[in-house]
Each structure stands twice: as structure tokens, then as C-alpha cells.
Amino acid sequence: MSLTAGLLFAVPATTAAAAEAPPYTFDASFGQTYTRGTVTWYNRSVAIEGEQKSVSTTSCRRTLVDTFTARGAWLSSRSSSPVCGQSATISFSVPADVAGGAGRVTVYLIHEETHEVLSYDIVTK
């Protein structure tokens, strides 16, 4: 007879995507418009959480994020939906499908109509 027969053991649940480092902040501002928030580093992606703002209904803004390896090789890009004349919450992930994930992230504030980079912030793990 087994000593464990009929016994239940509590095993702590593991998180499939535990953060590798505490969140880092970013701020890419241009005049009264901006994208601000945090980058959270995971093994094969980064999570972007924050807020973007556009003050004009005819001059929209978008947040674009590029991931790079620690040596600077580009990995992937993702962007938010555009915002026009208001503030909006941003929340999305960007792949970094290499061992150890991204080593650097660049967050851009983009003019939606012209695709011009208005401001950017580089965040390094």
C-alpha cells in the first residue's frame, strides 16, 4: 500500500509567462500628444500597457513598438489602433521569439496620416 494513496497534494500553479524583469516606463511626447506607459519583459515577448493621447480630431496618433535582440537585431513590430482627439488605453504584446526575448524596445509616437515619427523612447532591459 502506498503512503500517498488517497491524499491530495497542493502544488502551486506555475505561470506560463512569468515576467523576467520589473516593468520599465516609457514616455514619447510631442507637444500635448503622447504615448506613455510600461514595458513588461517576458521570455518570448513584451507587453505594452499605457495611454496614448491626440488633441485634434484631424491629427490622429498611433503607438508603434519594435522589439530588438540585446545585440540590436530587429525582431518584430506591433502597433495600437489610432486615437483622434482623445486619450485611449493601449494594451498589446509584441513578439520577441528568441531565447531570452527582447533586449531592447523602441516605442514610437506616430502621426497617423503622414506616418511621421513624432517622438520615440528606447527602453533597454
Side-chain angles (χ1 to χ4, degrees):
M1 177 174 185
S2 170
L3 294 175
T4 59
L7 297 177
L8 296 176
F9 292 94
V11 178
T14 59
T15 304
E20 288 191 340
Y24 288 68
T25 60
F26 65 87
D27 183 344
S29 298
F30 181 79
Q32 295 178 320
T33 65
Y34 57 81
T35 183
R36 296 178 183 148
T38 59
V39 175
T40 302
W41 308 91
Y42 294 97
N43 185 36
R44 300 264 177 182
S45 67
V46 296
I48 305 297
E49 303 283 338
E51 178 183 34
Q52 63 184 6
K53 180 180 178 183
S54 164
V55 293
S56 171
T57 57
T58 60
S59 184
C60 304
R61 302 291 186 257
R62 177 185 296 269
T63 300
L64 172 70
V65 178
D66 286 334
T67 55
F68 299 88
T69 65
R71 293 181 175 218
W74 178 85
L75 294 169
S76 190
S77 292
R78 292 290 184 271
S79 69
S80 67
S81 297
V83 61
C84 308
Q86 62 182 342
S87 295
T89 300
I90 54 173
S91 178
F92 57 93
S93 64
V94 186
D97 199 14
V98 294
R104 188 181 88 218
V105 169
T106 303
V107 182
Y108 305 91
L109 178 65
I110 303 291
H111 187 288
E112 178 64 13
E113 292 75 24
T114 65
H115 305 288
E116 176 185 4
V117 174
L118 301 173
S119 183
Y120 66 93
D121 195 1
I122 298 172
V123 184
T124 304
K125 182 170 30 170

